[in-house]
Amino acid sequence: MIAHDHSRPQHTIKAMHLKNLINSALTRPTLAAAIVTVVPALLLAAAFVFQYGVGLAPCVLCVYQRWPYAAIIAVGLVAFVLGRRGHAKPAAALIFLTALIFIGESILAAYHVGVEHRWWASVFEGCSTGFDIAGGGSILDKIESTAAVRCDAVAWSLFGISMAGYNALIAFAMGIYAAVASIMVTRKANGF
């Protein structure tokens, strides 16, 4: 049976539990590393579900946005192992590295949003299904090398925000979280 502190209101107890949970997520290297590893793993899983389960083929920019998450997962796993072994400062450094990669990912995703809204044309090859028939090479080669999905076409959106838009928002938020967590883990390891 759980003993309750009747001297404090229930909402105060819940607020204290939430504060402790947030503090742990920011100061414990293993928990911070787990968070920065699990979030991109879930995002990649969702991307593959949309691709293979729902049938939404990714464009070139969508595929490029998967690579930073793969890197974050690898770095996050190493940070987790270091944290488990009591090496908080090296784990914090790797968590900070994930923050930089998350921010880079958010910039790439925001760039993709700009392409979707036609604010600018993509500089990446394969983002357009158009090709020049008069140019060199055979038409068959051009058709085979052409992307199946245009980068400026929104395949799915929710509340007017595309997958690239959600990716930009989530990656930016995770970048801020990872940066703050790396600082807090380092401070705790230094005794502050």
Side-chain angles (χ1 to χ4, degrees):
M1 187 176 237
I2 298 173
H4 293 284
D5 183 1
H6 295 289
S7 64
R8 295 184 186 185
Q10 194 66 21
H11 63 84
T12 303
I13 294 171
K14 289 180 183 178
M16 286 176 33
H17 287 299
L18 180 61
K19 182 180 176 184
N20 289 338
L21 179 64
I22 292 169
N23 187 47
S24 292
L26 289 171
T27 60
R28 290 182 45 211
T30 52
L31 185 53
I35 291 169
V36 299
T37 303
V38 169
V39 169
L42 291 172
L43 292 171
L44 278 178
F48 288 125
V49 167
F50 273 105
Q51 181 177 352
Y52 296 110
V54 179
L56 294 178
C59 71
V60 171
L61 282 172
C62 293
V63 173
Y64 289 164
Q65 289 172 75
R66 295 176 182 183
W67 288 103
Y69 285 143
I72 291 168
I73 292 168
V75 172
L77 288 172
V78 174
F80 181 81
V81 169
L82 288 171
R84 292 276 298 168
R85 293 185 176 168
H87 304 293
K89 289 180 186 178
L94 290 178
I95 292 168
F96 187 76
L97 177 59
T98 69
L100 298 176
I101 301 171
F102 272 121
I103 297 301
E105 170 71 8
S106 71
I107 292 168
L108 179 59
Y111 176 81
H112 190 183
V113 170
V115 171
E116 289 175 338
H117 287 283
R118 294 179 177 85
W119 296 334
W120 48 73
S122 176
V123 297
F124 294 98
E125 287 187 38
C127 274
S128 172
T129 58
F131 59 85
D132 179 19
I133 294 175
S138 73
I139 293 176
L140 181 59
D141 289 340
K142 291 177 183 179
I143 291 171
E144 289 177 344
S145 67
T146 300
V149 178
R150 293 179 58 100
C151 296
D152 61 0
V154 176
W156 179 91
S157 68
L158 180 65
F159 307 119
I161 302 173
S162 68
M163 282 190 273
Y166 282 109
N167 188 29
L169 294 170
I170 293 168
F172 184 75
M174 286 302 299
I176 298 300
Y177 164 75
V180 171
S182 69
I183 292 166
M184 298 296 287
V185 167
T186 302
R187 286 176 54 90
K188 184 178 179 185
N190 289 332
F192 293 112

